Amino acid sequence: MSNIKQFNLNEILSSNNINIDIPIQQLISDIKIENETSSKFKIDEIEISSASSSIYFTQGECKFLIAIFGPRETKYREKIKNEEANIEIYTKFSIETNKEYTTYINSKIKKFVKKVILTKSYPKCQININISILKLYNNSNILLSSIFNGIMIALCLSGIDLKSMVLSKGFCDNKNSILLSIDANENENILNFDSENPLSITEYENYYNKTILYINELYNNIKLILYQKLKNN
């Protein structure tokens, strides 16, 4: 863990000289890559009481409300032995889903969040992430990629210390279902790769290149939002 560094908003913005002046309400992206419906996204910052940050996020056919609460000291702080933040995920689906599927989605989200939040910055504190899934895609990897991206944006807006900016892309075609999560600053750093079926090197490179293209577009738009938030503060 010694090679993990704190990742902050100024670092996110340092690679680009951004001198725009756009109200944050208008910073809505509508990008479509290679006619893939899962590549189209929109971001709106909203206000939810007591939340550190909250957004309405659309990616492809998936729509979410995501709210970050904390970090805050827990009521029984002196009894907690863990010197890192405790993270809890609360997911609510707009349609009825079975318990096994909800548990599966929550476990994947929690694993992702623990890899991107610098939990040691908040010893014995609580961070809650609430996700209301208003509309979902019927493929788990595309759904998870959308959730991961929404959470990543909400975490950046919350000001919570992060290890890295990780963005994701899900694919679903006639042959396979794939999820790729890649560090947006260091493209070779793959946080997560999940494929239902084995891939050839050529197939993998094809999906990887499409993912890089997509996350670069998303990353640039996130920078605009964070830049405007820094100006407003």
Side-chain angles (χ1 to χ4, degrees), residues 51-68:
S52 303
S53 69
S54 47
I55 64 168
Y56 175 76
F57 182 68
T58 301
Q59 180 174 310
E61 297 181 19
C62 303
K63 296 181 180 180
F64 316 95
L65 285 175
I66 300 173
I68 311 293

Side-chain angles (χ1 to χ4, degrees), residues 64 87-93 102-117 129-131 133 143-145 147-148 151 155:
F64 316 95
I87 300 171
E88 294 296 337
I89 308 296
Y90 300 94
T91 305
K92 181 179 180 181
F93 288 82
T102 303
T103 301
Y104 169 77
I105 294 296
N106 280 352
S107 66
K108 291 287 187 179
I109 295 172
K110 193 165 188 176
K111 186 177 181 181
F112 172 83
V113 168
K114 283 187 173 182
K115 287 184 177 181
V116 298
I117 293 180
I129 301 178
N130 291 23
I131 306 156
I133 302 175
L143 175 63
L144 284 169
S145 75
I147 293 174
F148 291 170
I151 289 174
L155 284 172

Side-chain angles (χ1 to χ4, degrees), residues 190-223:
I190 299 172
L191 180 77
N192 184 81
F193 171 67
D194 186 16
S195 176
E196 288 183 350
N197 302 310
L199 295 178
S200 68
I201 294 176
T202 301
E203 288 174 323
Y204 175 80
E205 287 180 348
N206 180 44
Y207 287 116
Y208 177 86
N209 290 333
K210 287 183 178 181
T211 302
I212 294 299
L213 177 64
Y214 177 69
I215 69 170
N216 284 341
E217 294 283 6
L218 179 57
Y219 189 38
N220 287 334
N221 282 270
I222 293 171
K223 285 183 178 183

Side-chain angles (χ1 to χ4, degrees), residues 26-191:
Q26 295 179 23
L27 288 175
I28 299 175
S29 304
D30 194 358
I31 293 174
K32 195 170 183 180
I33 301 172
E34 296 183 358
N35 295 318
E36 296 179 32
T37 56
S38 61
S39 294
K40 191 175 181 180
F41 63 85
K42 293 184 179 180
I43 307 163
D44 280 315
E45 188 176 28
I46 58 177
E47 290 188 11
I48 294 179
S49 178
S50 302
S52 303
S53 69
S54 47
I55 64 168
Y56 175 76
F57 182 68
T58 301
Q59 180 174 310
E61 297 181 19
C62 303
K63 296 181 180 180
F64 316 95
L65 285 175
I66 300 173
I68 311 293
F69 296 89
R72 57 177 175 78
E73 292 188 357
T74 59
K75 186 177 180 180
Y76 304 103
R77 178 181 174 87
E78 66 281 355
K79 296 181 180 180
I80 298 176
K81 296 180 181 180
N82 191 353
E83 290 300 322
E84 299 184 14
N86 181 55
I87 300 171
E88 294 296 337
I89 308 296
Y90 300 94
T91 305
K92 181 179 180 181
F93 288 82
S94 60
I95 61 173
E96 187 175 348
T97 57
N98 62 53
K99 185 178 181 181
E100 290 77 14
Y101 184 74
T102 303
T103 301
Y104 169 77
I105 294 296
N106 280 352
S107 66
K108 291 287 187 179
I109 295 172
K110 193 165 188 176
K111 186 177 181 181
F112 172 83
V113 168
K114 283 187 173 182
K115 287 184 177 181
V116 298
I117 293 180
L118 199 57
T119 53
K120 289 187 176 181
S121 292
Y122 310 104
K124 300 184 179 183
C125 288
Q126 182 73 30
I127 298 174
N128 294 340
I129 301 178
N130 291 23
I131 306 156
S132 295
I133 302 175
L134 308 177
K135 187 177 180 182
L136 68 159
Y137 195 79
N138 60 2
N139 177 269
S140 302
N141 281 336
I142 289 181
L143 175 63
L144 284 169
S145 75
S146 304
I147 293 174
F148 291 170
N149 290 339
I151 289 174
M152 199 74 243
I153 296 164
L155 284 172
C156 288
L157 291 169
S158 73
I160 289 175
D161 292 344
L162 304 175
K163 298 174 186 176
S164 58
M165 166 67 77
V166 177
L167 298 172
S168 306
K169 182 78 173 72
F171 299 90
C172 179
D173 53 34
N174 295 330
K175 296 181 179 180
N176 211 343
S177 171
I178 296 165
L179 173 64
L180 266 167
S181 299
I182 300 176
D183 191 315
N185 282 333
E186 302 173 10
N187 288 345
E188 71 276 6
N189 185 5
I190 299 172
L191 180 77

